Amino acid sequence: MKGLVFPLVALVALQILAMVWGIESDNLASPVSVLQAAWTAALDGTVLTAASHTLSTTLGGLAIGGTLGLLLGLLIGLVQPIDRLLTVSLEFLRPVPSVALIPIALLIFGLGYRMELVIVAKGCFWPILIMTRAAIRGIHPRLMEVSRMLKLGPVARIWKIFLPAALPRLFVGLRLAAGVGLTIAVTVEIATNPYGLGYAVMFAQQSFRPDLMFGMLLWIGIIGWSFNAFLLFAQNRLFGRAALVGARS
Amino acid sequence: MNKNTTRTGKILWLLASLAFAAALIAGWQLIANMRLISPVFLPGPDRAFDAAVTGFESGELGGKLLLTVERMIYGWVLSSILGVALGTLIGSSALARSYFGPTLEFIRPLPASAIAPIAITLFGLSNASVLVLIAFGTIWPMLLATIHGFAAIHPRLTEVGHVLKLSRLETIWKIALPNAVPDILASMRLGLTISLILTIVGEMLMGLEGIGNSILLAARSFDAPNLYAGVILIGLIGLVSNLLLDMMDRRLLRWRPSR
């Protein structure tokens, strides 16, 4: 409850400031008018259209980048020589920020859904790759022995032993990647792509609507927060403490 | 211990790994030469390299690189100082932690680039705007790490402070901050990555001269060699700054037994 005091006091103070000195202008808006703009945007469907674009790109990119990351992560997690062979290449590619690929995606795909999808996929690829590799490494050696004892083939070994054992940490990777994906989607929209929540904020700024700008920011916060909270809830529900084991390593 | 973990084994694997990376680049060259992908979209590494060399020879690319690196470092240093200072203020008191913590946790997951429109509104399309964008977006890891470092002081250390009758400031300076240093350094590494990202985003948005803006312009004018050269340079900035931080970490954290 104490946590609520500070934001409430700050908002009330801002509102009083706005009413006494009239700070409302082309640049600033009072908390009440921000809330009004956020409410209107929710009613007239602006939020829904923008959010569905941003979220569908995030999920699509997560699916593509996540699958690729999972496959490569399984490969380098299970086959040590490949891991060692790829070290330099991966270490060189990893520091390239996703946003630096915006112009390349722009050049190839033009503005639109696909270019955003590619960049989000690239962003989701790394956390999943790294978590998959770590999850495979973290499997108890005894399970490896069991799989050898049972003379399981490579496919059965992955399907029956590795994936179930690594699943909790894979889900942690998925959750992290989803957060990264949403952030990147909004960033791409703010930087270039004229769709979605990020663009809605930029558009409000460019049309001198600070109330709508802060209102849309509020929506980004709420949507992003619920998205994370939902994944965290799912993680706790599905895996409980199992997901916490070595999750920070 | 198998032979792979020995020193020569490691060097051999490193060489093999380098060779593999070289093979990847050769494959890229081959694909470009055979025009499997249109050269408009994918220039060979030779053309990207030529573009970089021409750019550096004319001094233009070097200047842009410098501007980008400068912005990144200014923003990073500024946000590190702000983050640690603010974190110290909030972290040194349990009361402040309980009042401000939840708000900070709520704001933190917001996409950092979402600050950009606010920065533009307040400061226009300027260097100040980019700096504000970087500082506000990058401050979170440092801020939260400092607060966490303060919260996680071993009770025995606090007792030692009591016994030595340290004043509040002395406790912060001699016990709490050193205790938080490993966390802060780790967060500064993350911060540098975010700072680079936001520098690029900021340059693109505000049209300020730098690598971020020049790759966007190159893409708009279908100048693929310069575009790829720029992207590779940005990757190198990230790589080199990470390596430097690695070295700094190892030097500064020598006193820590674990690791």
Side-chain angles (χ1 to χ4, degrees):
Chain A
M1 276 305 101
K2 277 182 188 166
L4 283 176
V5 174
F6 170 67
L8 285 180
V9 168
L11 284 180
V12 169
L14 271 177
Q15 181 66 33
I16 292 172
L17 211 69
M19 291 195 310
V20 174
W21 276 296
I23 55 164
E24 301 223 27
S25 63
D26 285 349
N27 298 333
L28 286 169
S30 70
V32 168
S33 52
V34 168
L35 284 179
Q36 274 170 349
W39 182 243
T40 322
L43 288 184
D44 67 13
T46 317
V47 175
L48 197 67
T49 329
S52 63
H53 174 89
T54 305
L55 285 177
S56 61
T57 322
T58 305
L59 293 177
L62 185 63
I64 298 172
T67 312
L68 292 176
L70 181 70
L71 290 177
L72 190 59
L74 278 175
L75 191 67
I76 62 177
L78 292 171
V79 192
Q80 192 119 61
I82 296 185
D83 188 8
R84 291 174 177 233
L85 216 51
L86 284 176
T87 312
V88 170
S89 314
L90 292 181
E91 286 303 314
F92 268 92
L93 285 174
R94 196 148 68 110
V96 179
S98 300
V99 289
L101 299 181
I102 291 177
I104 295 185
L106 189 67
L107 178 73
I108 298 177
F109 299 111
L111 291 172
Y113 187 71
R114 283 189 299 170
M115 65 91 78
E116 199 177 323
L117 196 68
V118 168
I119 296 167
V120 173
K122 187 267 170 192
C124 295
F125 173 78
W126 289 104
I128 301 252
L129 171 74
I130 289 161
M131 280 309 269
T132 308
R133 183 164 161 251
I136 299 276
R137 289 284 156 78
I139 291 174
H140 200 283
R142 191 129 323 149
L143 283 173
M144 306 276 195
E145 286 164 23
V146 169
S147 73
R148 230 170 287 144
M149 279 281 293
L150 294 173
K151 296 209 170 62
L152 296 177
V155 175
R157 199 182 283 183
I158 291 175
W159 191 246
K160 292 188 175 153
I161 306 269
F162 292 151
L163 277 183
L167 209 54
R169 288 173 81 184
L170 289 183
F171 194 87
V172 174
L174 183 75
R175 186 169 61 79
L176 295 177
V180 171
L182 187 62
T183 304
I184 293 177
V186 171
T187 304
V188 173
E189 288 159 7
I190 284 179
T192 47
N193 209 15
Y195 304 93
L197 289 168
Y199 178 67
V201 178
M202 276 317 277
F203 183 74
Q205 187 270 322
Q206 279 158 5
S207 42
F208 299 105
R209 285 280 311 277
D211 52 340
L212 188 60
M213 175 179 90
F214 284 105
M216 289 311 292
L217 276 177
L218 188 65
W219 278 115
I220 291 183
I222 292 171
I223 291 167
W225 191 83
S226 334
F227 192 57
N228 281 331
F230 166 74
L231 287 169
L232 203 58
F233 171 77
Q235 177 187 317
N236 289 335
R237 199 60 198 267
L238 290 172
F239 304 110
R241 295 186 57 83
L244 296 176
V245 178
R248 284 178 64 90
S249 66
Chain B
M1 286 282 133
N2 56 26
K3 71 173 177 20
N4 286 344
T5 48
T6 61
R7 207 182 164 80
T8 43
K10 261 187 191 161
I11 292 173
L12 281 179
W13 273 114
L14 186 68
L15 286 177
S17 181
L18 274 170
F20 185 80
L24 278 185
I25 295 175
W28 170 15
Q29 182 72 59
L30 207 64
I31 290 174
N33 285 349
M34 290 165 69
R35 303 194 167 225
L36 292 177
I37 297 173
S38 161
V40 178
F41 298 146
L42 187 81
D46 53 342
R47 283 174 64 208
F49 187 73
D50 282 347
V53 170
T54 318
F56 274 118
E57 271 170 357
S58 70
E60 208 176 310
L61 198 57
K64 284 175 183 162
L65 185 70
L66 208 62
L67 278 170
T68 302
V69 172
E70 247 174 48
R71 273 190 200 109
M72 173 184 87
I73 292 179
Y74 282 157
W76 178 62
V77 170
L78 183 68
S79 57
S80 300
I81 295 173
L82 283 176
V84 173
L86 216 60
T88 305
L89 276 179
I90 297 172
S92 59
S93 126
L95 197 66
R97 278 206 297 271
S98 64
Y99 276 106
F100 294 109
T103 311
L104 296 179
E105 287 294 339
F106 181 80
I107 302 178
R108 185 182 60 102
L110 268 180
S113 49
I115 306 290
I118 304 182
I120 295 176
T121 299
L122 297 178
F123 299 97
L125 301 174
S126 65
N127 264 320
S129 226
V130 181
L131 215 56
V132 167
L133 166 67
I134 301 172
F136 274 91
T138 313
I139 197 172
W140 300 103
M142 277 76 91
L143 179 62
L144 294 171
T146 312
I147 295 178
H148 174 255
F150 272 75
I153 297 174
H154 197 283
R156 188 119 336 137
L157 282 175
T158 324
E159 284 165 21
V160 170
H162 283 307
V163 171
L164 294 175
K165 298 212 171 61
L166 294 180
S167 71
R168 197 184 173 106
L169 265 179
E170 279 175 324
T171 316
I172 291 175
W173 188 246
K174 293 185 174 157
I175 294 182
L177 270 181
N179 190 59
V181 161
D183 278 343
I184 292 173
L185 283 179
S187 69
M188 283 175 76
R189 162 191 304 270
L190 187 60
L192 193 59
T193 309
I194 303 175
S195 180
L196 177 60
I197 293 173
L198 291 176
T199 306
I200 307 290
V201 172
E203 284 175 358
M204 284 178 176
L205 268 176
M206 325 236 176
L208 295 171
E209 192 163 332
I211 302 268
N213 190 36
S214 82
I215 56 172
L216 193 61
L217 293 179
R220 293 216 165 116
S221 52
F222 291 94
D223 180 3
N226 270 316
L227 166 59
Y228 280 76
V231 173
I232 293 169
L233 274 180
I234 293 173
L236 283 178
I237 298 178
L239 187 73
V240 169
S241 51
N242 259 327
L243 286 178
L244 287 178
L245 275 188
D246 254 346
M247 275 160 53
M248 191 180 85
D249 265 14
R250 236 172 275 154
R251 206 156 261 261
L252 288 176
L253 292 180
R254 260 191 306 207
W255 52 274
R256 267 215 320 181
S258 60
R259 273 167 85 105

